[in-house]
Amino acid sequence: MDIKDGSILLNFISKLEELEWKKYQQRYPYILIDNKLKKTDHSSYPPFTSFRFKNENLKVINILNQAINSYQGDVEWILISTKREYCDGVNHCILTKYVQDMKEINKITVPIDSYISKIMPQFGPIAYNDLINLTKHIERFFIENNYNFKSNDN
């Protein structure tokens, strides 16, 4: 696995608690083109990491939020949490503050990643590279807080 594919943070988060749901922006997804799966470059689409724990652990979320807030890299990141409307659980998303600000400011009709890809294509690659450092920072933060990672026997 290439650590620059966008999954690095999700792979780390899966060591914290069991995940019920997960999603991330793939940098090089396979897309069906002319009835063939072809690897495409979505580097200009900003990365995000979304997840829901099977059992919500507020201690983990608090440490994760503190780690993200203390990170000083090339890009500012945030954690947003949304209670599911008709089911139990909370969906969490780690994304760049820039993307969240763009969602709130602009009332656009195209997906935000497509919009940013067009208006500022250099932002995605910068954010993908910074995602690696963010993940390392978060992991160190959890270690410094003596967090016991779950075993990877799935």
Side-chain angles (χ1 to χ4, degrees):
M1 171 188 63
D2 179 1
I3 63 170
K4 293 184 178 186
D5 76 347
S7 66
I8 186 169
L9 182 55
L10 188 59
N11 291 337
F12 170 74
I13 289 170
S14 69
K15 296 177 186 176
L16 299 174
E17 296 288 333
E18 185 177 354
L19 296 178
E20 182 175 68
W21 170 80
K22 59 188 175 183
K23 182 178 179 181
Y24 67 98
Q25 178 66 46
Q26 293 183 39
R27 190 172 187 174
Y28 305 107
Y30 285 92
I31 297 180
L32 192 61
I33 301 171
D34 297 328
N35 282 338
K36 294 180 186 162
L37 280 179
K38 295 184 181 177
K39 193 175 197 176
T40 56
D41 186 352
H42 278 191
S43 292
S44 61
Y45 286 41
F48 68 84
T49 303
S50 296
F51 59 94
R52 180 175 56 252
F53 291 120
K54 186 171 183 180
N55 296 302
E56 187 74 5
N57 183 333
L58 289 180
K59 178 183 176 186
V60 169
I61 297 303
N62 287 336
I63 295 172
L64 192 56
N65 205 26
Q66 289 173 27
I68 292 166
N69 289 337
S70 69
Y71 177 69
Q72 294 181 349
D74 295 330
V75 175
E76 188 175 355
W77 298 86
I78 60 171
L79 169 70
I80 58 173
S81 302
T82 308
K83 173 104 174 74
R84 295 175 71 200
E85 195 168 329
Y86 298 108
C87 302
D88 291 336
V90 177
N91 293 338
H92 303 282
C93 185
I94 298 170
L95 69 161
T96 67
K97 186 174 183 317
Y98 174 72
V99 169
Q100 185 63 20
D101 290 348
M102 292 298 287
K103 285 181 183 179
E104 292 173 2
I105 293 170
N106 295 297
K107 304 297 181 213
I108 57 173
T109 57
V110 297
I112 193 72
D113 53 2
S114 297
Y115 178 73
I116 291 172
S117 174
K118 286 181 179 65
I119 66 161
M120 199 166 156
Q122 71 279 16
F123 181 74
I126 292 168
Y128 274 105
N129 289 334
D130 198 53
L131 183 64
I132 296 166
N133 292 327
L134 173 67
T135 302
K136 290 175 184 175
H137 173 79
I138 292 171
E139 185 170 13
R140 278 192 307 272
F141 201 91
F142 271 87
I143 290 168
E144 290 168 3
N145 280 275
N146 300 313
Y147 186 79
N148 293 319
F149 297 95
K150 74 176 192 76
S151 62
N152 247 353
D153 52 3
N154 316 15

